[in-house]
Amino acid sequence: MAEYQTARIRNFALLGHTGAGKSSLLEALLFGAKAISQPGRVDKGTNHADFTAQEKAHQHSLEPSFLNFDFDAHHINLIDTPGLPDFFGRALLPLPAVESVLLVVNAATGIEPVTARAFEAARAQGKVVCVCINHIDGHLDKLPGLIEELQTTFGPRCLPVNLPSADGNDVVDCYLHCEENRPTLFSSAASARDELVDTVLEEDEELMTLYLEQGEMLSAEQLHEPLETALRMGHLVPVCFTSAEQAVGIASLLEIMVKLMPNPLEANAPQFMKGFGDDAVPVDVTQKADDHVLAQVFRVGIDPYFGRVAVLRLYQGTMQSGMRLFIGADRKQVKVAHLLKLQGAETSEVGSAVPGDICALCKIDELEVGSVLHDSHDEDEFHLPELKLPQPIFGLAVSPKRRGDEQKIAEVLAKLIAEDPSLAVSQNEAEGQTVLSGLGDLHLQIALEKAQSVFKVDMDTCKPAVAYRETVCKAATARYRHKKQSGGAGQFGEVELTVEPLPRGRGFEFVSKVVGGSVPTQFIPAVEKGVREALKVGRLGGYPVEDVRVTLLDGKHHSVDSKEIAFVMAGKKAFFDAFLQANPVILEPMVAMDILVSAEDVGDITGDLSSSRAMVCGTEARRDGKVRVKAEAPLATVDNYATRLKSMTSGEGEFTLSFARYEIVPPAVQQSLLRTIEEKED
């Protein structure tokens, strides 16, 4: 690999629904750039992105994969992402590291659930989005309607930068070197260019004046700066057409990626923060090669033989093999023994990397997703805002097949979560279960398969209790004194605190309003610790408590007998007493359902949903004759929905679920839950 300056680097994540053709498009781009001798195929297990045994067996992308190539004196980093809804959390992991997203849409099926979610996530992070309509061969009649669908869903600024030729065997450029005289399948290159230029010129009044008053034709070079502004602000979403299998539009897409899409210096600058919590302040990153090194890890892979591989984006400074770096606020330095470029399953060592590049480090166990590497203590507390991932709500209780493997299972679960932070492990105290949670059944199945095939650990699984929560509906105050005397020094701590509700999703807040030293400063963290212990087990059904604020008001201490443990116990018991007085209720997880069925099955679907405490939020007729039904339902009522849907639609229905929010369960449901818990205890 040649050495490039930051301005000649382009970083892309390929996102889109499964079946859109991301992996095949990536193969076509690699082949078009002469980075490979022939494109691989997903169905034959030869494509470069899906190289793991699991991906070959399932014939789906299951993890982000990294490839790169050089084209037209530029270095392109491409990140392929999974398109299955269950792996949407994994698909989001690379977003902080790229400037642009290629949102791949299947011409046959149009906008699908993951397509819409990916667009929203990319724009929420300020990423430039380029929509790539793939598989146009055989679906030319659907393309005009698909452009209208894109503009209706994502906004009127979704504008073609090329158009299919009249026979569909090529594309006609509409912007870089507009081919006005070539016939197109619909619209025309000239009108498409005019619409693009009008949109771009809204970002530059001087050029707009030149264009309108003097009638001067403007070149793509003159329009480059306002174009980048329009892309960065989301005022323009370019649309292009490809057929990866037939290599249609690939050369045009490569040119668009290099000449239109922003380099790291032109995109929205990453907003690093210094400090944490309320003390965090924004800091600017220079992105200069001669400044301090600053990089962040956004993906971790763990191989039983090769060790931990941490993929990072370099934001500032020049990283060199052999240099020593700090991780976060750690005082101990780690050595960059091997600086790698990833090419699917292959790795190659490089001597250095400049700002904007994506590289990897191996065998540094301290690195995890979000770790910041730097070479100066000035950046000890630098970090990017935490990436918001979908909440895992589908769980399986896991246990060892052989006695004595508990520690081994804990270590493997920790590795799975290090690789995929959209998984979670929790302890269900009420049921005595260790629960592995994810975004769906397939998400959990793949994780358990990997635990067995890669990490050589077998686990038994069973259906866990639903992830209920507890909260309060009003404020209440309680006081508790913890006093213990058994010879010698005793224990004494007394606290008064208030528990009050917070809006849904706010979690937990602890506030101290102690005055006069009634609870010494050194014991206030102990009170909070006791409260947090109480939050884990609740008081109604043993479920975790959330969306509450606890305010420490007053207390008492003893000059000899007051100890940390005393205030931990006092805080815990005072919380329980206040909680029971604050009208406690049980919360249940609600899921958003996106169901795709034939029009004749809609009545059966909506009837079934209504009988399951679900609420139908709307229906939408699609161009292919199917109907999309959107609904919200309690998670507890949809655990067998795949089977129900199959029976109602003769196996042709599709659906995706995603976490929506927590809601208070109806009184009858709460009473039933509490009765069930009492029966188990008896």
Side-chain angles (χ1 to χ4, degrees):
M1 169 189 156
E3 292 187 4
Y4 289 95
Q5 294 180 341
T6 302
R8 289 191 173 270
I9 292 175
R10 302 290 186 272
N11 297 311
F12 295 89
L14 278 71
L15 273 71
H17 201 87
T18 183
K22 297 184 297 299
S23 297
S24 60
L25 180 63
L26 195 150
E27 293 293 320
L29 289 170
L30 289 168
F31 182 69
K34 297 181 171 55
I36 55 177
S37 58
Q38 63 179 17
R41 294 182 59 90
V42 174
D43 55 353
K44 294 183 178 179
T46 58
N47 67 311
H48 294 73
D50 303 337
F51 57 86
T52 68
Q54 273 188 305
E55 289 173 319
K56 290 180 179 181
H58 289 273
Q59 294 193 354
H60 280 293
S61 298
L62 302 176
E63 300 176 359
S65 58
F66 304 87
L67 296 111
N68 64 86
F69 60 85
D70 296 337
F71 177 75
D72 193 20
H74 289 72
H75 184 62
I76 315 295
N77 291 308
L78 291 175
I79 306 175
D80 188 30
T81 66
L84 292 162
D86 278 17
F87 301 97
F88 189 63
R90 297 184 184 186
L92 294 181
L93 286 176
L95 278 185
V98 301
E99 290 76 47
S100 304
V101 167
L102 284 181
L103 186 62
V104 186
V105 179
N106 189 328
T109 54
I111 298 174
E112 298 176 274
V114 170
T115 316
R117 293 173 68 188
F119 181 87
E120 293 170 1
R123 286 306 308 151
Q125 291 198 41
K127 306 302 175 183
V128 172
V129 178
C130 176
V131 177
C132 181
I133 299 176
N134 195 24
H135 297 316
I136 64 172
D137 50 305
H139 306 289
L140 298 178
D141 58 319
K142 298 182 178 181
L143 301 183
L146 183 50
I147 289 291
E148 293 179 7
E149 185 181 358
L150 288 169
Q151 293 176 339
T152 300
T153 306
F154 301 142
R157 301 300 177 85
C158 291
L159 302 176
V161 291
N162 61 35
L163 289 166
S165 61
D167 58 8
N169 293 326
D170 198 2
V171 295
V172 179
D173 184 85
C174 304
Y175 186 79
L176 287 168
H177 35 79
C178 185
E179 303 169 272
E180 296 184 10
N181 297 322
R182 287 188 62 189
T184 60
L185 185 68
F186 62 93
S187 184
S188 71
S191 62
R193 176 180 165 80
D194 289 343
E195 198 167 4
L196 283 164
V197 170
D198 289 345
T199 299
V200 170
L201 286 177
E202 291 178 10
E203 310 296 334
D204 192 316
E205 292 184 5
E206 291 185 9
L207 277 178
M208 174 73 83
T209 302
L210 188 67
Y211 180 66
L212 294 177
E213 294 183 357
Q214 301 181 23
E216 183 172 330
M217 289 298 294
L218 300 173
S219 67
E221 290 74 18
Q222 288 175 291
L223 293 168
H224 182 78
E225 189 171 333
L227 169 73
E228 296 305 329
T229 302
L231 292 173
R232 187 169 62 247
M233 301 297 291
H235 297 164
L236 172 63
V237 178
V239 180
C240 59
F241 297 85
T242 62
S243 171
E245 296 287 343
Q246 306 300 323
V248 173
I250 299 303
S252 176
L253 178 55
L254 284 167
E255 189 176 23
I256 289 167
M257 292 166 69
V258 167
K259 295 183 178 179
L260 296 190
M261 296 295 102
N263 65 51
L265 301 176
E266 294 171 325
N268 289 317
Q271 186 55 75
F272 271 82
M273 306 295 291
K274 183 174 184 178
F276 299 91
D278 295 337
D279 298 328
V281 295
V283 290
D284 294 328
V285 175
T286 67
Q287 301 194 73
K288 293 181 179 178
D290 58 356
D291 210 331
H292 293 164
V293 169
L294 188 64
Q296 186 174 46
V297 174
F298 64 93
R299 162 73 177 161
V300 167
I302 301 176
D303 186 276
Y305 308 104
F306 198 60
R308 183 173 293 233
V309 178
V311 188
L312 57 88
R313 160 69 187 269
L314 184 58
Y315 291 96
Q316 182 177 283
T318 300
M319 186 176 290
Q320 297 178 326
S321 181
M323 74 187 311
R324 293 187 174 273
L325 298 171
F326 298 103
I327 302 175
D330 289 351
R331 295 293 169 176
K332 180 183 176 182
Q333 290 180 315
V334 295
K335 183 180 179 180
V336 180
H338 304 281
L339 186 60
L340 308 173
K341 289 292 289 188
L342 303 181
Q343 189 74 344
E346 306 297 324
T347 62
S348 59
E349 289 205 33
V350 293
S352 63
V354 298
D357 207 356
I358 293 174
C359 298
L361 301 176
C362 65
K363 298 182 180 179
I364 302 178
D365 292 339
E366 296 85 351
L367 292 177
E368 56 188 25
V369 172
S371 293
V372 173
L373 288 149
H374 58 94
D375 61 356
S376 168
H377 287 304
D378 292 342
E379 285 89 37
D380 276 353
E381 295 186 341
F382 278 34
H383 62 96
L384 284 171
E386 185 177 356
L387 181 63
K388 188 174 179 61
L389 296 174
Q391 181 168 341
I393 53 169
F394 295 84
L396 280 175
V398 297
S399 57
K401 280 186 177 292
R402 295 186 300 271
R403 296 188 64 177
D405 277 356
E406 288 81 4
Q407 182 60 32
K408 197 173 181 181
I409 282 183
E411 292 172 356
V412 168
L413 292 177
K415 290 177 180 178
L416 293 174
I417 294 171
E419 291 188 319
D420 181 1
S422 59
L423 290 168
V425 172
S426 60
Q427 300 296 324
N428 187 323
E429 302 287 347
E431 303 291 333
Q433 297 174 328
T434 297
V435 179
L436 176 65
S437 300
L439 305 185
D441 292 339
L442 183 60
H443 193 196
L444 297 172
Q445 175 193 335
I446 294 298
L448 293 173
E449 276 184 13
K450 187 164 189 176
Q452 182 182 46
S453 62
V454 177
F455 299 118
K456 309 303 180 185
V457 169
D458 288 336
M459 294 181 240
D460 285 327
T461 63
C462 65
K463 178 182 173 182
V466 174
Y468 292 106
R469 298 288 186 265
E470 299 179 16
T471 193
V472 298
C473 295
K474 68 177 185 179
T477 301
R479 193 177 187 97
Y480 187 88
R481 174 182 293 181
H482 175 78
K483 185 177 181 180
K484 186 176 181 181
Q485 192 75 40
S486 58
Q491 297 178 9
F492 181 89
E494 182 174 330
V495 300
E496 181 180 356
L497 52 77
T498 294
V499 176
E500 58 187 315
L502 286 175
R504 292 288 169 267
R506 286 284 295 275
F508 167 65
E509 293 180 10
F510 182 84
V511 180
S512 174
K513 292 187 177 179
V514 172
V515 294
S518 56
V519 177
T521 304
Q522 68 267 29
F523 293 130
I524 292 176
V527 178
E528 181 178 356
K529 181 180 178 182
V531 171
R532 289 186 178 276
E533 288 181 2
L535 292 175
K536 295 177 182 179
V537 294
R539 210 55 178 164
L540 282 179
Y543 304 115
V545 179
E546 61 180 38
D547 298 337
V548 296
R549 177 188 292 121
V550 174
T551 304
L552 178 60
L553 302 173
D554 194 12
K556 289 183 180 179
H557 70 285
H558 188 277
S559 58
V560 176
D561 291 347
S562 285
K563 298 178 178 64
E564 179 179 328
I565 183 61
F567 280 96
V568 169
M569 295 302 299
K572 186 174 183 179
K573 294 298 183 65
F575 173 83
F576 282 148
D577 289 348
F579 179 80
L580 291 174
Q581 300 174 43
N583 190 14
V585 292
I586 294 176
L587 299 171
E588 65 179 343
M590 303 290 292
V591 292
M593 308 181 69
D594 194 320
I595 310 163
L596 190 64
V597 294
S598 299
E600 58 267 24
D601 294 324
V602 171
D604 292 339
I605 297 300
T606 55
D608 177 74
L609 291 171
S610 298
S611 66
S612 304
R613 292 199 291 128
M615 179 177 68
V616 177
C617 302
T619 59
E620 174 190 343
R622 295 191 358 152
R623 291 180 292 115
D624 58 2
K626 292 188 177 182
V627 176
R628 172 167 287 140
V629 180
K630 294 187 177 182
E632 289 186 350
L635 175 61
T637 68
V638 297
D639 61 333
N640 64 339
Y641 193 73
T643 303
R644 285 154 50 192
L645 182 65
K646 185 176 181 179
S647 66
M648 290 184 288
T649 63
S650 301
E652 296 182 354
E654 303 173 29
F655 76 102
T656 61
L657 301 178
S658 58
F659 174 75
R661 63 188 176 278
Y662 274 96
E663 277 193 1
I664 298 174
V665 301
V669 176
Q670 177 165 309
Q671 292 173 8
S672 175
L673 285 171
L674 296 178
R675 279 198 301 269
T676 301
I677 292 169
E678 290 174 358
E679 290 170 0
K680 288 183 178 180
E681 290 175 346
D682 292 342

